């Protein structure tokens, strides 16, 4: 019974929990319900990953309406992997959130926070699992609306401005997606992704489909924060509560990348996306500029959250770079980096959350000398930073390795050079933090600062250890990413 | 004059651009929200238009009817309207909160205040 309905339970459980939480009105109970829901979803995602690995794609007809008429939930290699990332990160961040939220959110609003938090996760999981284009739009808006409220709960009034900006840009992006989906419906008469995949090839010359493609790619890129559509991201990440930043950085942009992958490869097919319309050139250019400018701007930031936000833009560039290379190795690298970046940015933002919990401000100057006061926290930050740079034995190395491999496969050595330059720039901005934390004298206010509480260190270190584990044992990640890439690129040659 | 026949698509584009202009050019946050509403409504108009079948009647079972318009886009837009209303609610709530924190809803004045206090 549970096994058969697993695909829908993954969305329904957090949704129902989100609706129950405002009724309980107690911060701790709300946290407990959130945690339970997240663990349940994670267990479901692991079960789905195993099931899909053994039996192939699962199709679930929502409300027992058969797919072309009803909404279909479809789980295959790619989205079972993304589900695992989103649900896994949400468990870890929720574990972290309890103390962090208690200091950053007024006590009478904590239950609303968790309600919006779960709603955001619901939307992200739903986008990932759905096989219906319009359903994707609705769930995108659910997660986005929840995200706007979460960002607005930041401690400073800047958060409101950041949230409003995000709302305007996010809504424009989502409406673009809506228009694009409308164009596809106009041309094909279906909203089911598999039906679209079958009917679109004969309509390649249609201007309706082509403009729909443009609308969808721009809309998805806005959600992904691909350069130059990233303007909402830095402020939103900087001013959101610590746990929200970690959740968004590790999951929301990843789901954006998933939308892009789904539309580019599964729905439109590589021949149309990259052959006829040559979207790969646009992607590569945007990605290259994102890697360089994101990293360079990150170096100049004093606020560490903002620095990591700009670094995220650069890292999203790597994901797009992998997709734009349009080979099996390239897409593998993109999907791998999707997973690995979730781990490393999750770890980094959680470590910064620990600092914010004790020190309040997280500027380069305000953390001076804190490396000695908070050894575990800064060790975690350093380990996450090494992963970000791409040192061997960390996940960052694995995805960059495949990226460079894919570049050489095509003989595009400038791309490989770009990846290396990006790594060097990452070294500079991570070093600025490490230098300040370990080699500068402790400020007067810093003397009273203690190590972050155990409950916050544990989730941070879970992600750090995951960074190291998946940097050494790549069986699961490379396997899943590679199979997904083969599936995505194989679908167009006619042998799925 | 075939392009005139598609006049509702022209209106949809025009409406969308008016909304887009307001979002970009108007410093007042409430005006931005109105522009955003126009922008979204334009997309609804697109969906309603694509459901049209020439000579079709409203999709309600009726003995004299031979042709119905496609009801699916209309139903989809009902959902999208709910989304738009929720977005409007969140946006207005944010504007109220911004007005409380900054005492203004003009984005240039807000940005001027944002620069002064230490970041």
């Amino acid at each position: 019974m549970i096994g058969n309905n697993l695909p829908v339970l993954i969305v329904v459980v957090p949704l129902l929990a989100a609706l129950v939480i405002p009724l309980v009105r107690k911060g701790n109970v709300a946290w407990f319900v959130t945690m339970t829901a997240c663990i349940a979803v994670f267990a479901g995602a692991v079960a789905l990953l195993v099931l899909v690995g053994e039996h192939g794609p699962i199709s679930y007809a929502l409300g027992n309406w058969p797919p072309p008429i009803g909404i279909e939930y479809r789980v295959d290699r790619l989205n079972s992997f993304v589900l695992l990332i989103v649900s896994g990160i949400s468990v870890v961040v929720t574990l972290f959130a309890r103390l962090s939220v208690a200091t950053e959110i007024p006590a009478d609003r904590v239950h609303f926070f968790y309600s919006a938090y779960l709603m955001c996760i619901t939307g992200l999981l739903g986008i990932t699992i759905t096989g219906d284009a319009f359903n994707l739009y609705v769930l995108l808006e659910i997660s986005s609306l929840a995200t706007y409220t979460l960002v607005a709960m930041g401690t400073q009034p800047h958060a409101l401005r950041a949230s409003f900006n995000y709302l305007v840009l996010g809504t424009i992006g989502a409406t673009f997606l809506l228009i694009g989906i409308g164009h596809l419906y106009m041309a094909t008469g279906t909203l089911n992704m598999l039906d679209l995949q079958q009917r679109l090839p004969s309509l390649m010359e249609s201007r309706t489909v082509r403009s729909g493609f443009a609308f969808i790619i721009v809309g998805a890129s806005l959600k992904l924060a691909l350069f130059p559509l990233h303007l909402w991201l830095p402020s939103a990440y900087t001013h959101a509560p610590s746990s929200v930043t970690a959740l968004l950085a590790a999951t929301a942009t990843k789901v954006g990348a998933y939308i892009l992958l789904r539309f580019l490869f599964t729905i439109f097919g590589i021949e149309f996306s990259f052959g006829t319309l040559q979207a790969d050139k646009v992607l590569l250019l945007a990605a290259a500029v994102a890697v360089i400018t994101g990293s360079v701007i990150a170096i100049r930031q004093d606020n560490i959250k903002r620095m990591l936000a700009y670094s995220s833009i650069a890292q999203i560039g790597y994901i797009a770079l992998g997709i734009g290379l349009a080979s099996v190795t390239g897409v593998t690298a993109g999907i791998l980096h999707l997973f690995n970046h979730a781990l490393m940015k999750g770890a980094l933002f959680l470590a910064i959350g620990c600092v914010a919990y004790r020190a309040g401000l997280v500027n380069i100057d305000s953390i001076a000398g804190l490396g000695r006061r908070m050894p575990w926290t800064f060790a975690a930050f350093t380990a996450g930073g090494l992963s970000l740079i791409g040192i061997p034995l960390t996940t960052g190395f694995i995805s960059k390795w495949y990226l460079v491999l894919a570049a050489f496969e095509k003989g595009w050595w400038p791309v490989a050079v770009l990846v290396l330059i990006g790594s060097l720039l990452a070294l500079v901005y991570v070093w600025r933090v490490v230098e300040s934390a370990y080699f500068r004298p402790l400020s007067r206010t810093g003397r009273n600062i203690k190590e972050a509480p155990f409950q916050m260190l544990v989730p941070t270190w879970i992600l750090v250890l995951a960074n190291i584990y998946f940097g050494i044992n790549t069986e699961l990640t490379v396997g899943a990413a590679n199979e997904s890439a083969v599936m995505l690129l194989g679908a167009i040659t006619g042998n799925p | 004059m075939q392009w005139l026949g598609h006049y509702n698509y022209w209106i949809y584009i025009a409406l969308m651009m008016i909304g887009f202009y307001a979002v970009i050019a108007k410093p007042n946050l409430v005006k931005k929200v109105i522009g955003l509403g126009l922008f979204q409504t334009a997309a609804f108009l697109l969906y309603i238009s694509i459901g049209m079948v020439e000579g079709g009647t409203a999709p309600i079972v009726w003995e004299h009817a031979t042709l119905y318009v496609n009801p699916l886009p209309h139903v989809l837009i009902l959902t999208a309207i709910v989304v738009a209303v929720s977005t409007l609610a969140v946006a207005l709530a944010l504007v109220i909160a911004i007005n409380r924190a900054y005492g203004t809803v003009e984005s240039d004045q807000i940005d001027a205040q944002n620069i002064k206090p230490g970041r």
Side-chain angles (χ1 to χ4, degrees), chain A residues 134 137-138 141 145 152 157-158 160-161 163-164 167-168 171-172 175-176 178-179 181-183 185-186 191 363, chain B residues 12 16 20 23 29 39-40 47 50 70 72-73 76 79 83 86-87 91 94-95 97-98 102 107 110-111 114:
Chain A
F134 192 80
Y137 160 75
V138 174
E141 283 289 40
L145 284 169
H158 297 70
L160 297 169
R161 183 83 178 98
S163 172
F164 188 84
L167 183 137
V168 168
T171 306
I172 289 173
T175 308
F176 268 34
L178 178 69
I179 294 169
I181 293 167
H183 280 217
Y185 179 73
M186 219 194 295
L191 290 165
N363 289 333
Chain B
Y12 130 67
M16 194 170 136
F20 204 32
V23 170
L29 296 187
F39 188 79
Q40 287 177 298
Y47 268 74
I50 62 182
N70 183 356
L72 183 65
L76 295 178
T79 315
V83 169
S86 324
T87 313
L94 279 174
V95 172
I98 287 173
Y102 293 94
S107 53
I110 296 166
D111 293 340
N114 263 350

Side-chain angles (χ1 to χ4, degrees), chain A residues 84-430:
Chain A
L84 185 78
I85 303 169
V86 174
S87 58
I89 294 287
S90 67
V91 170
V92 178
V93 174
T94 312
L95 201 60
F96 178 88
R98 189 159 168 259
L99 287 179
S100 166
V101 166
T103 51
E104 289 180 8
I105 312 279
D108 58 332
R109 288 199 200 154
V110 169
H111 54 290
F112 290 128
F113 172 88
Y114 282 114
S115 183
Y117 179 88
L118 269 179
M119 208 71 100
C120 174
I121 294 170
T122 307
L124 296 174
L125 292 166
I127 296 169
T128 314
I129 206 168
T130 189
D132 183 279
F134 192 80
N135 201 228
L136 187 143
Y137 160 75
V138 174
L139 287 158
L140 177 72
E141 283 289 40
I142 290 177
S143 77
S144 302
L145 284 169
T147 311
Y148 309 146
T149 53
L150 287 175
V151 171
M153 286 191 198
T155 41
Q156 288 177 305
H158 297 70
L160 297 169
R161 183 83 178 98
S163 172
F164 188 84
N165 266 349
Y166 187 14
L167 183 137
V168 168
L169 286 170
T171 306
I172 289 173
T175 308
F176 268 34
L177 210 58
L178 178 69
I179 294 169
I181 293 167
H183 280 217
L184 294 192
Y185 179 73
M186 219 194 295
T188 61
T190 180
L191 290 165
N192 184 290
M193 289 182 184
L194 284 185
D195 281 2
L196 282 171
Q197 181 192 11
Q198 278 160 10
R199 292 186 200 177
L200 277 174
S202 58
L203 296 162
M204 276 190 188
E205 298 302 315
S206 153
R207 196 178 287 169
T208 314
V209 172
R210 289 186 174 193
S211 52
F213 177 83
F215 273 119
I216 287 173
I217 298 308
V218 172
S221 303
L222 243 168
K223 187 70 193 161
L224 170 68
L226 181 64
F227 185 90
L229 305 170
H230 64 277
L231 292 171
W232 57 269
L233 188 142
S235 297
Y237 280 16
T238 311
H239 300 300
S242 306
S243 38
V244 173
T245 309
L247 181 78
L248 290 184
T251 60
T253 47
K254 307 299 163 292
V255 172
Y258 165 79
I259 300 175
L260 203 60
L261 279 169
R262 198 43 108 195
F263 274 101
L264 280 176
F265 295 112
T266 308
I267 294 179
F268 286 102
I270 193 167
E271 273 166 34
F272 179 72
S273 310
F274 292 172
T276 319
L277 290 186
Q278 312 208 329
D280 52 339
K281 304 228 165 73
V282 182
L283 266 181
L284 280 177
L285 186 68
V289 181
V291 169
I292 299 299
T293 52
S295 306
V296 169
I297 298 174
I299 292 173
R300 294 176 47 222
Q301 300 305 315
D302 277 333
N303 183 321
I304 299 174
K305 269 175 116 179
R306 194 176 278 272
M307 167 194 288
L308 291 177
Y310 276 106
S311 147
S312 272
I313 292 165
Q315 302 292 322
I316 289 160
Y318 287 125
I319 299 176
L321 206 61
I323 300 172
L325 284 169
S327 63
V328 171
T329 323
V331 176
T332 305
I335 299 170
L336 259 180
H337 201 58
L338 197 146
F339 181 88
N340 294 343
H341 180 238
L343 291 183
M344 57 179 100
K345 259 309 147 43
L348 286 168
F349 273 120
L350 287 188
I352 286 306
C354 290
V355 181
Y357 182 78
R358 286 299 189 210
L361 277 172
V362 278
N363 289 333
I364 291 284
D365 293 328
S366 71
I367 62 156
L370 283 185
R372 270 154 281 161
R373 308 291 308 177
M374 308 177 77
W376 286 98
T377 306
F378 278 97
F381 186 92
T382 312
L386 290 178
S387 188
L388 196 67
I389 298 161
I391 302 291
L393 299 184
T394 60
T395 52
F397 174 72
I398 306 295
S399 34
K400 281 185 184 150
W401 172 258
Y402 275 89
L403 212 50
V404 171
L405 217 57
F408 279 127
E409 233 171 50
K410 288 223 164 187
W412 292 356
W413 59 266
V415 174
V417 173
L418 185 80
V419 173
L420 294 179
I421 292 176
S423 292
L424 288 177
L425 292 172
L427 179 65
V428 176
Y429 57 76
V430 170

Side-chain angles (χ1 to χ4, degrees), chain A residues 36-94:
Chain A
T36 317
C38 285
I39 290 174
V41 167
F42 182 60
V46 171
L48 275 180
L49 189 76
V50 174
L51 275 176
V52 170
E54 283 172 6
H55 305 292
I58 300 171
S59 166
Y60 180 87
L62 216 63
N64 259 341
W65 293 90
I69 296 168
I71 293 168
E72 181 191 13
Y73 275 11
R74 197 176 165 78
V75 196
D76 58 21
R77 284 304 280 173
L78 173 64
N79 56 8
S80 60
F81 189 53
V82 179
L83 281 178
L84 185 78
I85 303 169
V86 174
S87 58
I89 294 287
S90 67
V91 170
V92 178
V93 174
T94 312

Side-chain angles (χ1 to χ4, degrees), chain A residues 461-477:
Chain A
W461 274 91
I462 290 176
L463 285 185
V464 170
L465 293 177
N467 261 305
I468 297 166
Y469 177 79
F470 288 114
I472 298 168
N473 182 356
T474 57
E475 201 179 321
L476 170 76
T477 49

Side-chain angles (χ1 to χ4, degrees), chain B residues 47-112:
Chain B
Y47 268 74
I48 300 299
S49 304
I50 62 182
M52 175 63 185
V53 176
E54 232 166 279
T57 167
I60 304 165
V61 178
W62 180 40
E63 52 197 294
H64 302 295
T66 48
L67 206 58
Y68 297 108
V69 299
N70 183 356
L72 183 65
H74 301 178
V75 179
L76 295 178
I77 279 324
L78 271 182
T79 315
I81 287 172
V82 175
V83 169
V85 171
S86 324
T87 313
L88 182 68
V90 175
L92 289 179
L94 279 174
V95 172
I96 291 171
I98 287 173
N99 191 36
R100 266 193 212 134
Y102 293 94
T104 174
V105 290
E106 301 288 331
S107 53
D108 41 358
Q109 294 176 16
I110 296 166
D111 293 340

